[in-house]
Amino acid sequence: MKLHLLELRAFGPFGDTETIDFDALGAHGLFLMHGPTGSGKTSVLDAISFAIFSTVPGARRSQAERLASDHARPGVTPEVALEFTVAGRRLRVTRSPRYFAVKKRGTGRVQRPAKVLLQERTGTGWSTLSTRADEVAEVLDELIGLGAQQFAQVVLLPQGEFAAFLRAKADDRADLLRKLFDISRFSDLEQWLVDTRRSVRAAIDAKDAQIRTAVVRAEESLVDLAPQIEQWRELSVCALPTVIESTREHTSERLTHALAATDATSAALENATQQVDQETTLARLQQQGARAGQVWQAWEEGADQRAALQQRLDRHVCATRVQGAIRALERARVREQQAQTALARVTGELAELTTAPEQLRVSVAQAEPALAQAAEAARILDRAERTLPAVVTTLNAAEAAKETVRTAQRQVAERLQVLATTALAAGQTIDTVADLERRELVLAEWQQARDRVASATKILSAAQRSLEAARTVFLDAERAAVDLRVRRLAGFAGELAEGLVTGDPCPVCGSCEHPAPASSASIVRQDDIDRAEAEAATRRKEYDEAGRRAAAARGTTETSQSALELIQVRWCELAAETLDESTAATIRAEVQRRRSSVDRAEAVLASCEQQKVDLTHRAEQLQHEEKQADESAIRATTERDSLQTQAADARTRRDDCLATHDELCPCRATSEHDDERVESIVLVHKALSSKLQQWAELSRQAEDAGSTAEDCSQELNRQLDDEGFLDAAEAVTARIAAPEEAELRRQLEHAHNLAQQARGVLDQPEVQEAMAQTPADPAAAAARRRAALEENKKAQSVFEYAKRATGSLERLGEDVRQHLAQSEADRERLPALDRLADLVSGAGDNALHMRLSAYVLAARLEHVTTLANHQLTIMSGGRYQLEHTDAKAKGGARSGLGLQVLDSWTGTSRDTASLSGGETFMVSLALALALGQAVLHEAGGRPLQTLLVDEGFGSLDDESLELVMQVLDELRSGGRTVGIVSHVSELRTRVPAQIRVHKTEQGSRVEVLVGDAGSAA
């Protein structure tokens, strides 16, 4: 994992936006972050952790709600953005904490939720991966492979915490190791063994409790055996099946004897029960025979009375059969009387007309068609006369509407003409200002072009100076290389002289004596020439590059100058003035002065356009309204003429039809009012017609009623003769009331039923046989049965108890054996589980009192000490080595996580608390680096390309500081970047790449100094 860029805004002590380029710092491999106390150095580390994990490390986690800066301006959102590479993917995570913002309306503050954005850089730019916190956490966890706590220990390396770890007790040391190393499977194994032992023991205890409960229930139900069962409580549950079986066999023998006694008493009870049943049956039959004899005797004595009652009922039935004919005759005579009365009344009402009723009916029927036609003509005339005024009103309204529309059309035309004049004036004003604005735009382009020309000129001057400096350096390097080549040629004699050996021949002259060899002090080696030529070539490339930059700057200057000249040409096309600063100021002032008038003119023009549209639409509406008014006037005129014609025709037809009616029908002579309206005439005619129809109907009803009364009288006389009555009065007297009839019939039927039942009982053979025997005595038989029943109950009670006891003991034995069988496997497992659970929990036979998880942590710690000693050997100059010890702790404390230091100068091991401040820092740093490496390997994390070491360098002397810096330099291998957070001033001169954090009243700010990459090597 490698950090690239960190941006902070309104975060912690930083009120504005601050940027840290780790790529620029990474070019040196080592950088320093320093600043006053409280300036925000740790907040930079917090920002890295917050961006990745949405939390800050260590004790500062409790202040996570106050990550937003108090120095930020209102409305600025706190935010942290971090770019980093992990697993070959370039990611950027932007995260905002939850914070309180000032309300836009009203007073007070409102809480804003936390936000996150995860992006990945692809070939086309940054693409969004997720904006959900849970998805972002899942992606980062999968890629980084470290949790927040592990990341804080592995990447940020907080030295203070590792110094505390170095001196901590075993339990405290174990807490930190558990946070860094995942030993959950071993802890889970510990807990599983303990929980399994607890559950197995609980299962056995539960089965034992169930067995004891079953025994107690048996003791409560088996009272006779309670003293014996109470002794079982002292026995183990495994011994209970034997004693239960022995007791059950004894109880079974008692059950056999009780069964024999029960059978004997049951037989005696059955015999006594049969005797009771026989005596009871005999007594019942004798009682039935006596009651039946009494009923039959009473039946024979009441024969005369029953005959009289039956004769009275028969006369009533005959009278009932002629009752219908009597009522029919009465109804017929009433209807005949009513019809004659009504006919006489109607005949009297028609007596004033001299014509007979039959002739009147003919005349009225002949006049009805003429009267109907007159009524229809009157309705048409009335409808026409009522509709005509409304049609005339509609015609007048249509004519008035036409005149109103014409007036409105003239007003719209006049308004359109006024709007055209106003819009023309406003357009002229806008065109004038638009021309000035075009000039202003050209002036703005001219100013920008001038600025570009000036900037390009400055760049060209700088490029030319750089070119001249590069040329001088290149010529100096070239001269130096040439000088070395010349010196090389001149120093060949000295080089040959170096190769001469006394006694060997000279390769030039062949002499074995070398009296005056040339001096080799000024010899120039070929390596020196190669380096000089390489330096000259490098300077040549720099000179060429400076030449290209100067050419590019020259081209940019010429392009900018050409663009400026083109703008000046465009200006000459727009205006005749000279293009300078004074002209620009004049044009701007004129545009500003006339802009308000343009706004008004545009508003007027827009208003005119809108009014024109509205008026045009209004003119179209008026044209449509005029057309509708014309059509309405034509329709009203046509309808008026038609109604007038209909009224004249209807009036003539009405008068003709009324005259015809008066010639045929005398109905108007019966009316007391002389009303000429057709409606009145129709009513009078209908009244006479109805009266005549009523007379005809009443005549028919009177004739029918008389005929019906005669028929009913003849039928009544026939029925009276058939039933044996002299007249209707005798038949009416023979009838009796319905309740009395029902009561007589019920008495006769009841007496008959009782007699039949009594005869049936007396005819039964068993009754006749019982009546011949002596009276029965059921009471004596019942007493004998009660005595037998009591003996049987006693025997049955003894049997039931023996049976229940035997069954209870059988069930108890079965339950005990079943519970023991169910817990047999657990009873066999428990001893081994006890030993294993004690062993992994640090109890029992565990001599070191070391838990399994502590043992695993001890192995991890041993591995960490091995890794730490590699760095500690360098930092301590080979003096110190960390040692892991699993010696048994004092006072029964946990063992296996001890640390001590081996001092090679004395050859003794001592406690880490005896180290000095500087020694503690070196050991802590080595331990932190080793822990980070071990945790990364354990978690399967990605290689770390960025490390940050927090504080502790102030406790080192110069020599120790040099050794520690040597270790940190080694960490830079492979492109790794190491950051140091320290107040030590000497580090500022040793490490050129720096992050300076400045503290001010307006909030902290960050300054990044990169320096020369070569000086950091």
Side-chain angles (χ1 to χ4, degrees), residues 442-472:
V442 174
L443 284 173
E445 293 177 4
W446 173 71
Q447 186 65 47
Q448 292 174 359
R450 285 185 58 193
D451 295 341
R452 287 194 294 271
V453 169
S455 177
T457 302
K458 291 180 181 178
I459 294 173
L460 177 60
S461 299
Q464 289 175 343
R465 289 194 298 272
S466 298
L467 177 63
E468 185 62 29
R471 179 174 178 278
T472 301

Side-chain angles (χ1 to χ4, degrees), residues 463-506:
Q464 289 175 343
R465 289 194 298 272
S466 298
L467 177 63
E468 185 62 29
R471 179 174 178 278
T472 301
V473 171
F474 163 65
L475 293 177
D476 291 343
E478 185 69 22
R479 282 195 294 269
V482 171
D483 180 64
L484 287 176
R485 285 196 291 271
V486 172
R487 290 171 56 194
R488 166 71 171 165
L489 294 174
F492 273 161
E495 188 174 347
L496 290 173
E498 278 189 338
L500 294 177
V501 180
T502 303
D504 292 340
C506 175

Side-chain angles (χ1 to χ4, degrees), residues 550-721:
R554 188 178 299 105
T556 300
T557 303
E558 292 173 355
T559 301
S560 301
Q561 187 63 41
S562 299
L564 180 62
E565 292 173 357
L566 288 175
I567 291 171
Q568 290 175 341
V569 171
R570 288 171 55 198
W571 174 261
C572 293
E573 294 174 355
L574 292 174
E577 299 98 339
T578 303
L579 185 58
D580 52 20
E581 288 295 338
S582 61
T583 304
T586 302
I587 293 298
R588 292 191 188 95
E590 183 66 18
V591 169
Q592 189 65 28
R593 184 179 64 82
R594 295 198 179 189
R595 185 158 288 156
S596 60
S597 62
V598 170
D599 294 340
R600 289 193 299 272
E602 289 177 346
V604 169
L605 184 60
S607 176
C608 289
E609 291 295 330
Q610 184 60 42
Q611 292 183 38
K612 182 179 179 182
V613 171
D614 295 341
L615 290 173
T616 302
H617 180 64
R618 178 58 180 161
E620 293 175 354
Q621 288 180 336
L622 291 174
Q623 185 176 2
H624 180 66
E625 290 175 2
E626 183 181 13
K627 181 179 179 182
Q628 288 181 334
D630 289 337
E631 293 175 352
S632 178
I634 293 172
R635 285 196 302 271
T637 301
T638 302
E639 188 175 1
R640 181 197 61 186
D641 296 342
S642 175
L643 287 174
Q644 289 175 348
T645 302
Q646 288 179 8
D649 294 342
R651 189 177 294 108
T652 300
R653 192 163 61 255
R654 179 199 64 184
D655 295 341
D656 294 342
C657 290
L658 285 177
T660 301
H661 169 266
D662 291 344
E663 291 176 359
L664 295 175
C665 182
C667 65
R668 298 182 68 178
T670 63
S671 176
E672 298 179 358
H673 304 285
D674 188 13
D675 193 345
E676 294 298 330
R677 290 182 300 174
V678 176
E679 293 84 353
S680 299
I681 297 173
V682 169
L683 291 176
V684 172
H685 181 85
K686 286 183 177 181
L688 179 58
S689 177
S690 176
K691 184 75 69 177
L692 291 172
Q693 290 177 357
Q694 184 181 7
W695 175 86
E697 179 64 23
L698 289 174
S699 296
R700 183 188 62 76
Q701 291 177 1
E703 184 178 355
D704 292 344
S707 176
T708 301
E710 182 62 26
D711 294 340
C712 288
S713 178
Q714 293 176 1
E715 177 63 22
L716 176 59
N717 291 331
R718 184 187 64 76
Q719 290 185 10
L720 287 173
D721 291 340

